[in-house]
Amino acid sequence: MDFVIGADDLAFRRDMRAWIGATLPSEIATRGRRGFHATRSDVESWTRRLNAKGWAAPAWPEAHGGTNWTPLQRYLFQLELRAAAAPVQDQSAMELVGPVIYTFGDEVQKRVHLPRILNADTFWCQGFSEPNAGSDLASLRTRAVLDGDHYVVNGQKTWTSDAQRADMMFALVRTDAEARPQAGISFLLIDMKSPGVRVRPIYSIDEGHSVNEVFFDDVRVPTENIVGEPNKGWSYAKFLLTNERAMSAETAHTRADLLQLKGFAGEKACEPLFCAKLSKLEVDLMALEFAVLRVLHAEGGAQDAVASVLKLRGAELRQRVAELGVEALGNVGLAVNPDPTGHDATDHPAARPPGPDHAVGWLARSMFRRATTIYGGSNEIQRNIIAKAVLSL
Amino acid sequence: MDFTYSDEQQSLQDSVKRFCEREYSFEKRQALLKTEDGFDRANWATFAELGWLGAAVAEDAGGFGGGPIENAIILEQLARGLSVAPFLSSAVIATQAIAQLASGAQREALLTPLIGGERIAALAHGETAQHAFAPDIETKAAASGGGYRLTGRKTFVLGGQAADLFLVSATTGGGGVSLFAVPAEAKGLERVNYHAVDGRRVSDITLKDVEVPADALIGDEGEAQDAIDYALDYGVIGLCAEAVGAMDAALWITRDYLKTRKQFGVSLNTFQALQHRMADMLVETELARSMLYRGIAALSLDNKRARARGVSAAKAQIGEAGFFVGGQAVQLHGGIGVTEEYIVGHYFKRLALVRGLYGSSDQHLTRFAESAEGQNEEELSPI
């Protein structure tokens, strides 16, 4: 065992910080610091700079365009990206469908999709949840019926993050209505520009727009767009969900928020009770960071249940840091500060209230983050998984 | 970074585990607690033979060249066995204080018998109930005929009952804190023994004009504070390891209980409310283990404030997590959980001790926050 960060790793971290500092345009960083969802053009521009260095997807195998960084280096890189407020890349593509394609996809799928993901040429969204199949994914009803060399898709997805900007969706669809719930599902790649696809925005309580309903009306999808074998989609989805949960601890993000918060908290941070909450949060974050590193270092990656531990606590910490930020701002934290770029907001006639620039984004963050304990499998579902998979209860 | 045990560490863990399974049945342990020492001195000799008493001491000082990881491995398993042998107080805290301060002949004279198991030592540092962690030292050592005369009172000296040797902190003329090796039988030293919540033996000692020779001073006069802090930080990480062992044991005992105990015609494990409670206990246990590793990493930092910050973070987090897990384990057992005859309550008592000993969670959170003032974030928290 060796838990100490070596000089090499610290040097790596400093190099990354310097490179990001020199490469990330300041107007993009400013937008990032406000915490709203990044614009597509910001994500494209930033991802392409990373891709030019071969750093767009550090966790991927080298053969598919990843790096051979150690887990610690990958985490340090994440810390620096988030601390610099670089735009969050297309996570659906990089962290979810990308690994599914290079693990289970055919050669054509790999050749076509992976380079486009790395260069942010194609943006993706995840079509899993449905109105009656949220955490209970096995009950999904969107159908795909074989018709010659196409599947004909009918049904509805919901809570689809970034569908409004996505080029492609990876969806779970029912291809065998007779099989038991988990057995008749396939993993299908759907072009969002196909006739019959309709996207309707859902505005969330942060007054932002990142999630959507997506309707499929006789959408024709070529059979070559199925990943792996028909009716085996459930196992690919489980693989992906485990990745999603490991990643969704989001500790680099929480640490960046915490740094920002400490930066403006000023005298508030000296109030004993506030200081206690802040310190407790940081201590809890330290424990979670090391848990993430343990998982990243474990051979074979995250086990279902450990990933659930990370998801559960990570989601709670993201909420706690956002709430502390709002608390630190006092009344200013209660005012709606719309996204100055306007790309994300509802059509409220909301003016920007007077107040410090650092206040922008914190209220929205705290509202949107009520979702962190719901999406990706609610915290209750994570407890069920832990109880069943680890504790055999 | 590497989160897997080396072969040596794995075999150390196996050997402590086997020992505890063999020697520390719950009934045997309960019987031992009623004896005068509270632990088995024959076992102590075995600890020495197996090298555990010097596991974290450098080889050139007669130890086995390990560090906090080896200590943590031993203490985690001893806590599973609910051992009350004075390992933490003598083999960790006192041993580390001496290893830090003493050099040459004095190190040889003091450390060798500790590592060999011929002697047991205890750090006598805390003086009040509230500030046992970072006390103002009122015990005084005045120069007296070529040696020193010690006067003062020390409270809650962990492992004090079995100690042959006390390491007593005292202020000296120059104002700094010094550490003295005082034999338990020294004239003027009075000891009152009692036991802590988890059965461990502790003592209050009073020093009335205790005369010690000049070479009782360990290291240089007035220069002991840093070494004491380091030894206590080492001890705090050891306590954290004990907590992780106790949490893990309590968790799985409770799991097994839920699967066998029937109420309303079904076994308790079928109730989702209880499953979720157990899931939360597992979350806390996993995160406590991660935090233990982080605490171990912090203990080896050269930057004193960074070390203090990391160690205190671990103590604050693990102390609370342990109390939660222990408390829930008792709750999920129902009435049997609060009985002296059943094991789970004893894990809870161990976890209650860990939470409070050597600084409460609040004191450690305060130390955590204060250690950051005016410091560079990266140096404090390399990660």
Side-chain angles (χ1 to χ4, degrees), chain B residues 62-75:
Chain B
F64 297 91
I69 297 173
E70 283 68 23
N71 262 335
I73 287 170
I74 297 170
L75 282 164

Side-chain angles (χ1 to χ4, degrees), chain B residues 333-345:
Chain B
H333 274 84
I336 189 77
V338 289
T339 64
E340 193 69 8
E341 71 185 55
Y342 185 69
I343 194 167
V344 82

Side-chain angles (χ1 to χ4, degrees), chain A residues 1-5 9-10 13-14 17 72 75-76 79 255 259 262 275-276 279-280 282-291 293-294 297 306 309 312-313 380 383-384 386-387 390-393, chain B residues 1-6 9 69 251-252 255 258-259 269 272 275-276 278-280 282-284 286-287 289-291 293-294 296-297 300 309-310 313 316-317 320 365 368-369 377-378 381-383:
Chain A
M1 287 184 150
D2 173 17
F3 312 128
V4 181
I5 316 290
D9 290 317
L10 291 177
R13 183 178 186 179
R14 274 192 292 272
R17 180 179 304 173
L72 176 62
Y75 186 66
L76 294 174
L79 279 179
R255 184 156 288 285
L259 276 175
K262 282 176 165 177
C275 175
S279 298
K280 185 77 177 71
E282 183 161 9
V283 160
D284 286 342
L285 176 60
M286 288 166 79
L288 184 63
E289 276 180 324
F290 249 55
L293 287 170
R294 275 174 70 197
H297 279 83
V306 183
V309 170
L312 200 157
R313 181 54 53 90
E380 287 70 27
R383 289 187 176 92
N384 288 348
I386 293 167
V390 199
L391 296 164
S392 314
L393 283 169
Chain B
M1 279 191 159
D2 176 9
F3 288 88
T4 50
Y5 288 131
S6 68
Q9 288 164 344
I69 297 173
L251 173 81
W252 292 103
R255 193 286 301 263
L258 291 189
K259 290 185 86 156
N269 68 302
Q272 194 183 43
Q275 293 174 0
H276 282 197
M278 289 241 43
D280 286 337
L282 181 106
V283 169
E284 295 295 344
E286 277 295 316
L287 292 171
R289 182 176 295 283
S290 301
M291 194 60 157
Y293 295 162
R294 185 156 192 161
I296 288 171
S300 41
R309 183 171 159 85
Q317 197 269 339
E320 293 302 309
L365 269 188
F368 170 80
E377 186 86 24
E378 188 182 320
S381 222
I383 239 266

Side-chain angles (χ1 to χ4, degrees), chain B residues 88-99 111 114 121-123 165 167 231:
Chain B
L88 183 80
S89 49
S90 182
V92 180
I93 297 172
T95 298
Q96 290 298 331
I98 294 167
L111 272 188
L114 291 189
L123 176 68
L165 186 73
L167 309 181

Side-chain angles (χ1 to χ4, degrees), chain A residues 51-319:
Chain A
N51 194 35
K53 293 288 282 185
W55 296 345
W60 288 17
E62 269 188 288
H64 298 302
T67 62
N68 62 351
W69 293 348
T70 64
L72 176 62
Q73 287 174 327
R74 299 201 309 257
Y75 186 66
L76 294 174
F77 186 55
Q78 275 293 312
L79 279 179
E80 292 304 326
L81 287 175
R82 299 285 77 82
V88 176
Q89 291 170 255
D90 179 0
Q91 289 175 301
S92 297
M94 297 281 178
E95 303 186 38
L96 301 180
V97 76
V100 169
I101 289 173
Y102 67 65
T103 309
F104 303 106
D106 61 34
E107 291 311 312
V108 176
Q109 288 165 348
K110 290 180 205 173
R111 200 172 59 242
V112 169
H113 294 297
L114 298 179
R116 292 183 191 168
I117 288 174
L118 290 173
N119 204 44
D121 295 332
T122 316
F123 277 51
W124 288 76
C125 62
Q126 169 177 310
F128 281 16
S129 294
E130 296 186 6
N132 288 305
S135 292
D136 179 18
L137 270 182
S139 65
L140 63 86
R141 290 161 64 179
T142 296
R143 308 183 307 284
V145 178
L146 198 56
D147 177 23
D149 53 3
H150 283 76
Y151 283 103
V152 179
V153 180
N154 278 284
Q156 180 191 350
K157 296 290 175 181
T158 192
W159 311 125
T160 315
S161 294
D162 297 327
Q164 79 278 12
R165 68 176 198 194
D167 307 297
M168 294 290 293
M169 170 188 278
F170 54 99
L172 293 180
V173 292
R174 190 162 296 286
T175 38
D176 182 352
E178 307 301 315
R180 63 181 183 86
Q182 279 99 334
I185 293 173
S186 296
F187 195 103
L188 202 57
L189 311 180
I190 302 175
D191 187 333
M192 293 294 280
K193 291 180 196 71
S194 312
V197 175
R198 185 164 60 89
V199 176
R200 194 186 77 82
I202 301 173
Y203 293 101
S204 39
I205 57 174
D206 57 324
E207 302 194 6
H209 170 209
S210 62
V211 291
N212 306 272
E213 292 180 295
V214 182
F215 300 90
F216 301 97
D217 186 10
D218 286 333
V219 175
R220 295 184 70 80
V221 181
T223 48
E224 65 252 32
N225 278 21
I226 203 161
V227 175
E229 290 176 52
N231 299 327
K232 293 279 172 65
W234 186 254
S235 59
Y236 314 136
K238 273 187 68 176
F239 166 86
L240 172 152
L241 287 172
T242 301
N243 278 351
E244 181 178 17
R245 277 163 200 151
M247 139 201 135
S248 60
E250 295 268 28
T251 44
H253 222 129
T254 303
R255 184 156 288 285
D257 284 351
L258 188 75
L259 276 175
Q260 223 185 92
L261 167 53
K262 282 176 165 177
F264 71 72
E267 287 177 17
K268 184 79 190 169
C270 303
E271 290 178 16
L273 293 182
F274 187 85
C275 175
K277 279 189 272 190
L278 196 62
S279 298
K280 185 77 177 71
L281 169 68
E282 183 161 9
V283 160
D284 286 342
L285 176 60
M286 288 166 79
L288 184 63
E289 276 180 324
F290 249 55
V292 168
L293 287 170
R294 275 174 70 197
V295 167
L296 290 176
H297 279 83
E299 274 177 44
Q303 302 301 303
D304 280 10
V306 183
S308 291
V309 170
L310 304 185
K311 160 68 171 73
L312 200 157
R313 181 54 53 90
E316 290 171 354
L317 296 189
R318 293 202 76 195
Q319 290 178 354

Side-chain angles (χ1 to χ4, degrees), chain B residues 65-258:
Chain B
I69 297 173
E70 283 68 23
N71 262 335
I73 287 170
I74 297 170
L75 282 164
E76 180 183 339
Q77 296 303 324
L78 289 178
R80 279 174 190 279
L82 286 168
S83 164
V84 297
F87 189 89
L88 183 80
S89 49
S90 182
V92 180
I93 297 172
T95 298
Q96 290 298 331
I98 294 167
Q100 284 287 304
L101 273 178
S103 55
Q106 195 175 32
R107 191 150 89 163
E108 168 85 33
L110 290 172
L111 272 188
T112 305
L114 291 189
I115 294 170
E118 294 104 47
R119 248 178 168 183
I120 290 172
L123 176 68
H125 182 50
E127 301 192 351
T128 69
Q130 290 306 322
H131 295 284
F133 164 55
D136 291 326
I137 300 299
E138 290 185 12
T139 298
K140 289 189 171 48
S144 161
Y148 295 91
R149 185 190 304 125
L150 277 68
T151 308
R153 186 167 178 272
K154 298 288 180 180
T155 62
F156 216 85
V157 177
L158 201 65
Q161 179 166 347
D164 314 296
L165 186 73
F166 289 104
L167 309 181
V168 178
S169 59
T171 56
T172 34
V177 174
S178 304
L179 197 64
F180 295 90
V182 183
E185 68 276 9
K187 190 163 170 288
L189 188 153
E190 278 177 31
R191 158 164 58 178
V192 178
N193 298 321
Y194 46 98
H195 66 276
V197 56
D198 67 338
R200 252 180 242 252
R201 301 308 165 95
V202 289
S203 311
D204 279 14
I205 62 171
T206 312
L207 301 122
K208 282 186 196 147
D209 299 326
V210 174
E211 300 279 352
V212 294
D215 68 359
L217 173 70
I218 310 174
D220 296 328
E221 191 177 303
E223 302 291 333
Q225 189 64 58
D226 284 353
I228 293 171
D229 289 345
Y230 179 79
L232 284 175
D233 276 346
Y234 220 103
V236 163
I237 292 303
L239 271 180
C240 291
E242 289 197 30
V244 169
M247 286 163 86
D248 202 57
L251 173 81
W252 292 103
I253 287 170
T254 307
R255 193 286 301 263
D256 291 346
Y257 180 78
L258 291 189

